[in-house]
Amino acid sequence: MTKALKVADREKTAERLLNSSADKFYDPEVDIDWSAPLVDGLRYTPEHRCSLYGTELWDRMSPEQRVDLSRHEVASVASVGLWFEILLMQMLLKEVYRSDPTTKHAQYALTEVADECRHSTMFARMVETIGCPPYGPRQYTYQLGKLLPVIGYGPALYGSILVAEEMLDRLQRETMADETVQPLVRMVNRIHVLEEARHVRFAREEVVRGMAKLTKKELPYQRWLLATTSMFITRSLINPDVYAAVGLDKDEAHKAALGNPHWQESIRWSGERIMKFLDEVGLVGKPGMRAWRRSFLLG
């Protein structure tokens, strides 16, 4: 069913991650200077990662409007990330609830929940500091999201976590190295990248272990759930309300962004590594292919 991948013993991995978490973690309340002023003229994301970059609509926008769009788009991505991390915490706690709490595995899952609590607070405070609303996903996606902790289990659960985390990780790694981006945004990204590396290791190994135990009967559901969840993640990153906030026609701009080859390529680029992994373990396939294509993660 899938190519066998070797992973370390579950408890040994969890113990290493616990030690790493104790050795190096950030407290955004202390490690970020929230009182520092924003820098006039600096963008909030790299220009070529804006959803309208390269479109005719982009060409008609003023430089100030483009910077403002980057501000609202980073707020949208952060608040959608916050929404998904809350879902992630629910899913992890569901796993801990039915686990032995004396195991290192359960204890690391709780440690990851603590990390995600700090990240969620950090994202919320950044959105507040840059003066944007907490866009989050659109209402119907928000309501559907409530189902994920209920229907999600097995490798698709951890695979969904990985799609969100690894896409953001690649975008944030690029952003934190870009000196044309606001220092506040770069620092938030730096903190998130450091701590998410542990979460990615944890989730990847859980996917491999889960696939090794998965029956052929369960595989189609796992593929469908992962592909569908991933589609909602990518389609939710930029809430269309950001366009209205900078004086654009919301429907026109949203349509332009969805059809924008540059934006579609940014999505594919951000998901290259995780898609290769998910394909290798056997989670990319029918009946999820239509959703994968709609997600822009596959061409």
Side-chain angles (χ1 to χ4, degrees), residues 39 42 181-188 190:
V39 182
L42 287 188
V181 172
Q182 292 283 346
L184 170 65
V185 175
R186 293 172 64 200
M187 186 60 184
V188 166
R190 188 173 293 113

Side-chain angles (χ1 to χ4, degrees), residues 1-9 162 203-213 273-283:
M1 182 169 60
T2 180
K3 179 181 176 180
L5 297 177
K6 293 183 179 180
V7 294
D9 176 80
L162 283 167
R204 280 193 175 223
E205 292 199 6
E206 286 304 302
V207 167
V208 175
R209 293 188 189 99
M211 290 300 290
K213 297 184 291 185
R273 295 174 185 171
I274 184 56
M275 290 306 297
K276 181 180 179 182
F277 169 76
L278 294 174
D279 185 44
E280 188 174 15
V281 299
L283 274 172

